[in-house]
Amino acid sequence: MSPTLDQMREAQRALETPLFSGLPGDIEVSFEFFPPKSEKMAETLWHSVETLKPLGPRFASVTYGAGGSTRERTHQQVVRIQNDAGIPAAAHLTCVNATREEVDEVARHYWAEGIRHIVALRGDPPDGATKYAPHPGGYTNAVDLIAGLKKVADFEISCAAYPELHPDSPDEKADIDNLKAKFDAGATRAITQFFFDPQSFFAFRDKAAAAGINGEIVPGIMPVLSFAAVQRMSSLCGTAIPGWMEGLFEGLDDRPEARQLVSATIAAELCRRLYAGGVRQFHFYTLNRAELSYAICHMLGLRPKA
C-alpha cells in the first residue's frame, strides 16, 4: 500500500535535523519568582535562584501581592537576589489598595536600596472584589503608575502586555493603544502574559509595530507544573489553552516527574518556534521551580557563563 501524503510528510519530519540541534545560545533570559510564605519555601526559592544564576539572566523579578500583602517579603527577596546572588533584580509594584504617596514611598525605598528596575502593573482586584477599581488617591492604572514612577526616579520599567487581549479590554485596538501609552509614559519593555500559541505572539507583535510601538516586547513563558492550575489561571487572564494540551497531560496527575518531562517539551517547542520567528529574549514564570526553566534554556543552546 502506498503511503498517504500525511504519512510522507511525517516521515520527512522524522528524518530532518532535530529541532534543537545547532542553536548558538544567542538568547537572553529573565526569570520571575514569587515571595515565599515559609522557611521551606524560602529555601526552595533560593535554590532556584542559585540554579538559574549561572545562565546569566538579564534580571530576576519578584511578584507583589495585591494591596501590599507581600510587600515586606517581596522587598526582602528583591534585595537579597541583587545583593547576595548578584543578579539585577526587579520589584513588582501595583496600583491596588494604595495611595500614590504609599506607592511612591515604596519606590523611593527601592531606589535607596540600589534597586533600579520596577515591573509596573495595574494589579488584579483584591480578594473579594470581582472588578478592578482605582484606590481613592491612588494611581488609576499602569500608565498612570509608570508616569508617576518616572517622576520618583529614573527607573528601568517593565510593563505587561496581553497577546490574547486583557480580560478588561473592550477590543484589540484598545489593548494596543494602552500598551503604546505605557511606552509613551516611560516603560522600557513589555513582558507578555503567558500563552501557548506562537502565532498569537507574532500577530500581537506585528500589530504593536503597526501602531508605532518600537519598544521591546518579551514573551512570557509558563512551564506547566499543574494542568489544572494552568486552566484556572488561563480562565482569569484570557489565555487560550490548545485542545491538544489536555491529552498530553492526561493521566499524569500522580506522576510529577513524567509531567515535568511533558511540560519541558511543550514549553521548549514553543520557545523554539518563537526563536524561528526572530525572538531572542524570553521571560520565564518559574513558579519558584528552576529545573524546567533551566532545561528549556539548555535546549535553546544557553549554557552557564563563567
Side-chain angles (χ1 to χ4, degrees):
M1 181 182 295
S2 299
T4 65
L5 183 58
D6 284 345
Q7 289 172 328
M8 293 172 65
R9 286 173 176 164
E10 183 59 29
Q12 179 63 37
R13 279 195 291 267
L15 293 171
E16 289 174 350
T17 303
L19 272 176
F20 300 97
S21 67
L23 290 177
D26 58 338
I27 64 170
E28 296 179 307
V29 297
S30 53
F31 302 108
E32 181 176 298
F33 304 98
F34 62 83
K37 297 180 180 179
S38 67
E39 285 299 319
K40 185 170 181 58
M41 292 176 69
E43 291 175 7
T44 300
L45 166 60
W46 199 246
H47 172 73
S48 296
V49 170
E50 292 184 322
T51 298
L52 295 169
K53 174 185 174 179
L55 298 179
R58 292 201 291 172
F59 62 89
S61 67
V62 182
T63 61
Y64 184 82
S69 60
T70 66
R71 180 178 298 172
E72 290 303 319
R73 285 182 281 127
T74 296
H75 177 268
Q76 291 169 2
Q77 299 305 323
V78 168
V79 173
R80 187 182 183 195
I81 286 172
Q82 178 143 311
N83 292 345
D84 295 354
I87 301 173
H92 285 221
L93 272 179
T94 73
C95 305
V96 179
N97 278 359
T99 65
R100 288 172 179 258
E101 181 51 39
E102 288 171 335
V103 173
D104 290 354
E105 180 58 30
V106 172
R108 284 191 289 267
H109 194 48
Y110 277 127
W111 187 268
E113 293 277 6
I115 306 302
R116 299 292 184 262
H117 186 173
I118 298 290
V119 180
L121 309 167
R122 186 201 73 178
D124 297 322
D127 291 342
T130 58
K131 189 175 181 180
Y132 172 80
H135 185 279
Y139 286 108
T140 304
N141 51 34
V143 175
D144 194 22
L145 173 61
I146 292 167
L149 290 173
K150 294 299 282 189
K151 293 178 182 177
V152 171
D154 189 21
F155 285 106
E156 175 183 353
I157 295 180
S158 295
C159 65
Y162 291 78
E164 295 170 299
L165 198 66
H166 190 285
D168 292 344
S169 289
D171 52 46
E172 288 183 352
K173 183 179 184 304
D175 229 22
I176 294 292
D177 288 347
N178 188 53
L179 180 60
K180 188 174 189 307
K182 293 178 186 179
F183 278 107
D184 291 343
T188 309
R189 74 180 54 79
I191 301 171
T192 75
Q193 180 60 267
F194 70 92
F195 58 92
F196 299 109
D197 178 9
Q199 293 305 318
S200 66
F201 175 82
F202 293 137
F204 181 78
R205 185 180 64 178
D206 291 345
K207 291 171 186 174
I213 296 174
N214 300 315
E216 184 182 302
I217 300 179
V218 180
I221 307 299
M222 173 81 80
V224 179
L225 291 179
S226 162
F227 184 70
V230 165
Q231 284 181 307
R232 290 193 297 271
M233 287 186 283
S234 296
S235 66
L236 295 173
C237 65
T239 296
I241 298 180
W244 49 262
M245 186 177 286
E246 183 173 6
L248 290 179
F249 285 102
E250 185 179 359
L252 297 181
D253 289 347
D254 298 324
R255 297 184 178 274
E257 294 179 353
R259 190 169 66 243
Q260 286 193 48
L261 290 172
V262 172
S263 178
T265 301
I266 292 171
E269 183 170 324
L270 169 61
C271 291
R272 182 65 178 89
R273 293 175 185 273
L274 293 169
Y275 183 93
V279 175
R280 294 295 182 271
Q281 287 83 31
F282 298 87
H283 183 77
F284 291 92
Y285 299 110
T286 69
L287 301 178
N288 290 12
R289 304 287 181 175
E291 295 304 326
L292 282 176
S293 297
Y294 191 100
I296 297 162
C297 292
H298 183 89
M299 294 177 75
L300 294 172
L302 192 60
R303 298 293 183 268
K305 295 174 171 57

